[in-house]
Amino acid sequence: MAITEHRDIEKGDNKGLEDLIEPLVDGKPGSKNVDDCEEEIEQSGSIVMVVLSTAVAVCGSLEFGSCVGYSAPVQNDISVDLNLSVAEYSLFGSIVTIGAMIGAVTSGRIADTIGRKGAMALSAVFCIAGWLAIFFTMGSLLLDMGRFFTGYGIGIFSFVVPIYIAEIAPKNLRGGLTTLNQLMIVTGSSISFLLGTIVSWRTLALTGLVPCILLLVGLLFIPESPRWLAKVGRKVEFEDSLRRLRGAKANILAEAEEIHETILTLQSLPKARLLDLIDVKYIKAVIIAVGLMVCQQSGGINGIGFYASETFQTAGLASGKAGTVAYALIQIPVTMLGVVLMDKSGRRALLMVSSSGTFLGCFLTGTSFFFKGQAIFLDWVPLLAVSGVLIFIASFSIGMGAVPWLIMSEIFPLHIKGAAGSVAVLVNWFGAWVVSYSFNFLINWSPAGTFWLFSGFSVLTVIFVAKLVPETKGKSLEEIQLYINK
């Protein structure tokens, strides 16, 4: 029996929240009976726990953002205090992505072995160890080790947080709740950017502990993913988790039976291996997920984000702090707009608008550096550079930041999600390492050429999305699979 014969159980397509309580007596058309009122009450109860669980999970996303945003505002201070060269600081800034790559490789297996909550707790422990190492460091060795540990932690977070949210969320809230992952990432990044302009780099490292502590405490009060519990055969805990998510008095029998039916189907299938990902049934989904991750990173986000302050100074600003503050402030409202549009305009439209904007932003920034190199229109250079970077980050935040992760969580069947998701996240972090490590060297080679290169990749992203990426808004897993494999 093929997995595509079932409804999208994993994504919450269990008739939606409106069908969790089936009416015992049919009312007249247009009437509102007692069961309808009870249904509304149960919807409210389930949404409260789903929102609470999501709020706890995205503390991992906040930690993610705190980590990737840390290096931008502190580059000059750390380099001076610890006497780091450009190459040494580039290693420090980018080694987080090496740790994240290893975290990505192991994330699927960890999440499948110790559960979604266990994986998030493990990630928090690694991040805490990393921040403490950075805080106490007196040289580059402990500094790099701390950055590596935080990278390993956020590598797991980058996989398990969106997966956990997608597995507990009802279908009608899936897009918005999953996109909160990206919203909290940019919030964490913005907080690091802002705090980094007023506190020392050691104090900023301590602020990275806060999301981890909140997460560890919050995990004590939220349920494990019911789909993972069903997958590992923990029946009692599965029913308790599903009931907590759907409301104390909700009729969960139908949804529970569908989940068990899906699990039985999955168990009848061979265990997914990496080689299975090249199977004709899955290869197009893998190409789409991996391609989106390549597109996300090749636009230059991690280079621009990691070294924003230095970029502004290179463009001629007296201090990079003003540009960094503007960079931080613009991310949050634009990402919130993306959350609103996610389930309204659709995924494809957001991706293409976002990529077009990143093209414009990088083109303007590259042009500003070209003018500076040619010693023409010098009064316009700082304005063009700042405007270009802000257009870039606003455009990235509205679509390219969140949508690739959401689509990744939607297009894979449950039985290959661990292997396929790990590969996609690994590719993402490898791209992040390439961009973040090479960025300073590219800027030294040609600032204009660097940003024009990124703008060219943004054009390729528009083409890739137009040709290959399906619209997943409002579609069940089966509908997405049918579209991908047709």
Side-chain angles (χ1 to χ4, degrees), residues 16-90:
L17 286 177
E18 66 275 14
D19 292 319
L20 288 177
I21 301 178
E22 300 180 359
L24 298 177
V25 180
D26 290 333
K28 295 180 181 180
S31 66
K32 193 169 185 178
N33 56 30
V34 173
D35 294 309
D36 293 328
C37 296
E38 292 178 352
E39 184 177 355
E40 291 181 0
I41 294 172
E42 294 309 323
Q43 287 181 10
S44 299
S46 65
I47 290 174
V48 168
M49 180 52 72
V50 168
V51 170
L52 174 62
S53 300
T54 301
V56 172
V58 295
C59 287
S61 309
L62 187 66
E63 173 63 19
F64 185 142
S66 298
C67 187
V68 299
Y70 178 79
S71 61
V74 300
Q75 178 172 357
N76 184 65
D77 291 342
I78 290 182
S79 298
V80 171
D81 289 352
L82 300 181
N83 194 28
L84 302 181
S85 65
V86 171
E88 287 174 328
Y89 192 82
S90 293

Side-chain angles (χ1 to χ4, degrees), residues 14 25 37 64 74 82 91 96 111 149 160 165 167 285 309 323 326 351 362 385 400-401 407 419 427 457 463:
N14 305 300
V25 180
C37 296
F64 185 142
V74 300
L82 300 181
L91 176 61
V96 65
F149 284 156
V160 73
I165 296 172
E167 289 181 351
S309 180
L351 284 174
C362 285
M400 281 305 296
I407 291 179
V427 170
F457 281 118
I463 297 172

Side-chain angles (χ1 to χ4, degrees), residues 111-408:
D112 286 344
T113 302
I114 63 176
R116 298 358 181 183
K117 286 176 60 177
M120 287 188 280
L122 181 65
S123 302
V125 170
F126 270 97
C127 288
I128 289 172
W131 287 123
L132 291 177
I134 292 173
F135 176 77
F136 288 110
T137 188
M138 298 303 293
S140 60
L141 179 60
L142 193 57
L143 185 74
D144 291 342
M145 287 180 59
R147 188 74 165 158
F148 177 84
F149 284 156
T150 58
Y152 182 80
I154 66 173
I156 299 175
F157 276 138
S158 67
F159 174 80
V160 73
V161 171
I163 294 300
Y164 175 78
I165 296 172
E167 289 181 351
I168 66 169
K171 178 181 177 181
N172 62 318
L173 298 177
R174 184 184 71 211
L177 289 178
T178 305
T179 310
L180 287 176
N181 173 57
Q182 181 65 22
L183 175 60
M184 296 307 290
I185 290 174
V186 300
T187 299
S189 175
S190 296
I191 290 172
S192 287
F193 276 35
L194 294 172
L195 290 179
T197 63
I198 58 176
V199 302
S200 72
W201 60 271
R202 293 187 190 273
T203 302
L204 186 61
L206 290 182
T207 66
L209 301 175
V210 176
C212 297
I213 295 171
L214 292 175
L215 177 73
L216 290 174
V217 173
L219 287 175
L220 300 175
F221 301 98
I222 64 173
E224 178 59 88
S225 163
R227 287 157 180 83
W228 178 79
L229 291 169
K231 183 179 178 182
V232 298
R234 291 157 63 171
K235 182 178 179 181
V236 175
E237 292 166 88
F238 157 72
E239 293 178 354
D240 177 69
S241 173
L242 189 58
R243 191 171 297 283
R244 291 178 65 189
L245 288 166
R246 299 296 178 253
K249 297 181 181 180
N251 181 3
I252 63 171
L253 292 178
E255 183 176 5
E257 288 176 2
E258 292 182 53
I259 292 175
H260 282 303
E261 182 183 359
T262 301
I263 297 301
L264 288 175
T265 302
L266 294 175
Q267 290 175 344
S268 69
L269 298 173
K271 187 175 181 180
R273 300 168 301 171
L274 288 179
L275 289 178
D276 294 332
L277 300 183
I278 62 174
D279 189 287
V280 67
K281 293 181 295 184
Y282 312 123
I283 186 62
K284 191 171 181 181
V286 171
I287 290 173
I288 291 169
V290 170
L292 283 174
M293 295 305 175
V294 171
C295 290
Q296 185 189 69
Q297 293 302 326
S298 62
I301 180 60
N302 276 293
I304 297 171
F306 280 18
Y307 309 110
S309 180
E310 293 303 305
T311 300
F312 291 131
Q313 289 184 10
T314 303
L317 291 183
S319 171
K321 289 186 177 181
T324 301
V325 169
Y327 183 109
L329 293 177
I330 201 172
Q331 290 187 95
I332 298 176
V334 175
T335 303
M336 292 177 68
L337 177 62
V339 171
V340 174
L341 294 176
M342 185 67 65
D343 286 324
K344 294 184 179 295
S345 64
R347 283 57 152 159
R348 276 168 52 88
L350 275 182
L351 284 174
M352 287 192 281
V353 169
S354 176
S355 300
S356 300
T358 58
F359 159 77
L360 177 61
C362 285
F363 183 80
L364 289 177
T365 305
T367 301
S368 74
F369 283 117
F370 175 77
F371 287 163
K372 182 181 179 182
Q374 298 299 313
I376 57 176
F377 306 118
L378 293 180
D379 291 340
W380 287 88
V381 168
L383 178 61
L384 274 179
V386 172
S387 298
V389 171
L390 295 184
I391 290 172
F392 172 87
I393 192 57
S395 301
F396 182 87
S397 298
I398 203 171
M400 281 305 296
V403 177
W405 297 105
L406 175 59
I407 291 179
M408 183 196 76

